[in-house]
Amino acid sequence: MIWYPYQQMKTMKEPYHIVDAQGVYLYTREDKLIDSVSSWWSVIHGYKHPELNRAIQEQTERFAHVMLGGLTHEPVEKLSQKLEEWLPRDLDYCFFSDSGSVAVEVALKMALQYHLNRGNSRSKVLSLTHAYHGDTFKTMEVGDDPDYHGILREKRDVVHIPTQVEELERVFAEQGETFSCFIVEPLLQGAGGMRMYDVSFLRRARQLCDQYGVLLIFDEVATGFGRTGHRFVADLVLPDILVLGKALTGGYIGHAVTVANHKVYQGFYSDDPDHALMHGPTFMGNALACSVALRSIQLFEEGDYLSRIARIQQICRLELADLDDPRIQEVRIMGGCACIEVKNSRDVEGFQEFARRRGVFSRPFLRYIYSMVPYVITEEELVQVTDTMKAWFRR
Ligand code: PMP
């Protein structure tokens, strides 16, 4: 018996049964559907990509996995080297793990221990309202969405602020020295409702973090690899720790990485064994994941993806900007993400089935109908997605 995610199993409707997937399309026995959400925002190059398939197949012939405890191998070495070159400035030190949630846990643990290793005890974390950073315990605690974290009745040592500069300045002035880190989904808060905010907030956060000795963590599990229209938001404002997941492997295999800058790494580098980072997921640096991630990054570089994403943004703006309906609260578009927020969650009910009948797979949640399409989508296919969203309000 499969226990499905985020579902009341008693009332859940049958999931669509996928028998094949190719490019932007998911196939059931009856339907061919454009995946407008890229399998939780990860499948940026589309399904069954020949190059990515080959990368996995070739590595499978050698070996699928060996642990990183006392062992190393070429795929993980090459991937860390590539990330070191590719990521901005001194974001050079790669700690791999098997999922975004774990990679965020690692980032928070790094921040806590960074201060401890320097003889300071700073246990508090600053985070955003509507934050989502994963479903494990500490990530739930730094998250701020009762829809996901409702079972956590008591939160300790976490302060949430909205994305407003005045609030940021106030909280730093009052409690700045007590925070180990400030964790954000930069520019685009995904699961908390596709909320978009300005880079000036992050610039001010960077200054204040420096001033108060607080580490700035960018959780780019969702925003990384172009989703906001920038390669990484870290290209605009430099964090101390960067977390990547989802699209890291082109959506092929769960894998993630927590990348620290030189300062953070130096905080652990010592003759004292107690200063080591005591963490080690079994499947960190998995050889299949690293091989496919490396090829995925090459595709991203070779394929002029930022232009493609700019085009996706332009089309979404053109197609959705004129959407005017009393049920709609706001239409938000940034890079490869388009979101229609409705006023009442009832106005989302039935959209998934409506979209299926129009050849689109969608997964609206709460009050949000959104798309995060694979970047290889054609204009015609993208318009099919936006037309479906528009048609829902014109029924
Ligand atoms: N951080 C963010 C911003 C996310 O959107 C998600 C997943 N949606 C995670 C962390 C957790 O990643 P995973 O599901 O791979 O654990």
Side-chain angles (χ1 to χ4, degrees):
M1 173 83 194
I2 301 168
W3 197 334
Y4 284 93
Y6 304 123
Q7 294 287 348
Q8 171 48 263
M9 294 300 291
K10 191 169 180 185
T11 51
M12 185 182 95
K13 70 174 192 49
E14 271 294 292
Y16 303 138
H17 194 275
I18 301 305
V19 293
D20 197 0
Q22 164 103 53
V24 299
Y25 290 100
L26 298 169
Y27 295 86
T28 67
R29 286 211 171 75
E30 303 80 29
D31 293 313
K32 176 183 175 188
L33 305 173
I34 298 174
D35 182 358
S36 71
V37 293
S38 307
S39 271
W40 270 331
W41 329 336
S42 64
V43 182
I44 56 174
H45 310 291
Y47 295 96
K48 215 192 289 181
H49 193 290
E51 298 286 326
L52 298 180
N53 280 12
R54 188 168 318 122
I56 297 240
Q57 278 154 5
E58 285 176 5
Q59 184 55 40
T60 310
E61 296 300 318
R62 294 185 201 104
F63 58 91
H65 178 68
V66 298
M67 68 176 182
L68 282 198
L71 304 174
T72 197
H73 53 82
E74 193 175 88
V76 75
E77 285 170 342
K78 279 191 165 166
L79 179 59
S80 64
Q81 198 184 338
K82 180 73 200 171
L83 289 170
E84 192 178 327
E85 288 160 19
W86 207 48
L87 295 175
R89 304 271 283 278
D90 64 341
L91 286 167
D92 289 343
Y93 303 89
C94 299
F95 192 96
F96 293 98
S97 54
D98 32 28
S99 75
S101 301
V102 173
V104 172
E105 294 276 352
V106 170
L108 296 168
K109 189 165 161 181
M110 263 182 196
L112 181 69
Q113 194 179 343
Y114 169 83
H115 292 286
L116 281 176
N117 285 358
R118 293 154 58 95
N120 302 324
S121 173
R122 290 188 179 209
S123 55
K124 274 208 294 198
V125 176
L126 182 61
S127 168
L128 296 176
T129 48
H130 304 293
Y132 177 90
H133 295 288
D135 294 335
T136 53
F137 260 83
K138 192 66 195 174
T139 63
M140 283 201 288
E141 205 160 50
V142 297
D144 175 48
D145 199 324
D147 292 303
Y148 300 102
H149 313 133
I151 61 154
L152 211 60
R153 289 291 143 84
E154 243 181 86
K155 291 200 175 211
R156 286 177 303 129
D157 295 336
V158 181
V159 176
H160 295 285
I161 54 161
T163 52
Q164 290 160 7
V165 172
E166 312 79 67
E167 284 297 305
L168 180 70
E169 290 177 341
R170 188 191 52 76
V171 81
F172 267 93
E174 285 170 8
Q175 317 179 47
E177 262 126 35
T178 65
F179 298 128
S180 65
C181 60
F182 180 23
I183 182 165
V184 298
E185 294 160 86
L187 295 189
L188 170 62
Q189 296 184 280
M194 307 297 162
R195 291 161 197 270
M196 300 165 189
Y197 62 94
D198 195 75
V199 69
S200 55
F201 178 85
L202 297 174
R203 295 220 164 92
R204 187 71 186 117
R206 177 68 277 175
Q207 288 170 344
L208 289 165
C209 283
D210 287 341
Q211 190 180 330
Y212 288 87
V214 175
L215 297 178
L216 182 59
I217 302 176
F218 278 7
D219 173 357
E220 294 219 50
V221 169
T223 59
F225 299 96
R227 192 52 74 183
T228 64
H230 307 281
R231 201 179 57 136
F232 301 99
V233 183
D235 288 327
L236 310 180
V237 177
L238 199 67
D240 298 294
I241 301 174
L242 172 65
V243 185
L244 303 175
K246 291 191 185 284
L248 174 68
T249 62
Y252 262 61
I253 308 180
H255 221 65
V257 63
T258 309
V259 189
N261 71 2
H262 190 65
K263 179 175 90 173
V264 172
Y265 185 73
Q266 282 303 313
F268 289 76
Y269 195 79
S270 99
D271 293 321
D272 187 343
D274 288 344
H275 285 189
L277 180 63
M278 297 306 285
H279 210 97
T282 303
F283 291 106
M284 70 183 292
N286 172 270
L288 299 180
C290 290
S291 303
V292 76
L294 198 60
R295 194 71 197 99
S296 170
I297 291 172
Q298 285 162 356
L299 290 177
F300 192 96
E301 281 183 305
E302 292 160 9
D304 192 15
Y305 271 52
L306 291 181
S307 305
R308 286 176 193 233
I309 296 158
R311 186 81 188 117
I312 290 171
Q313 173 178 281
Q314 194 183 25
I315 294 170
C316 287
R317 288 215 170 122
L318 257 163
E319 295 296 323
L320 297 175
D322 61 346
L323 200 53
D324 184 22
D325 187 280
R327 289 165 291 185
I328 295 176
Q329 176 75 30
E330 192 179 39
V331 178
R332 294 189 283 273
I333 294 158
M334 180 186 276
C337 173
C339 174
I340 301 170
E341 177 176 349
V342 297
K343 291 177 186 148
N344 192 318
S345 59
R346 274 197 317 268
D347 292 324
V348 163
E349 280 165 29
F351 179 72
Q352 186 172 58
E353 198 43 32
F354 176 84
R356 185 193 63 79
R357 289 196 298 272
R358 288 169 175 259
V360 174
F361 172 68
S362 174
R363 196 167 188 280
F365 62 101
L366 305 174
R367 288 179 293 107
Y368 313 103
I369 292 175
Y370 78 98
S371 67
M372 287 221 201
V373 292
Y375 302 147
V376 294
I377 198 163
T378 64
E379 283 197 30
E380 200 184 329
E381 289 159 345
L382 181 55
V383 169
Q384 191 178 334
V385 172
T386 52
D387 274 353
T388 301
M389 291 160 101
K390 286 197 284 199
W392 175 248
F393 294 98
R394 292 187 180 148
R395 281 167 302 155

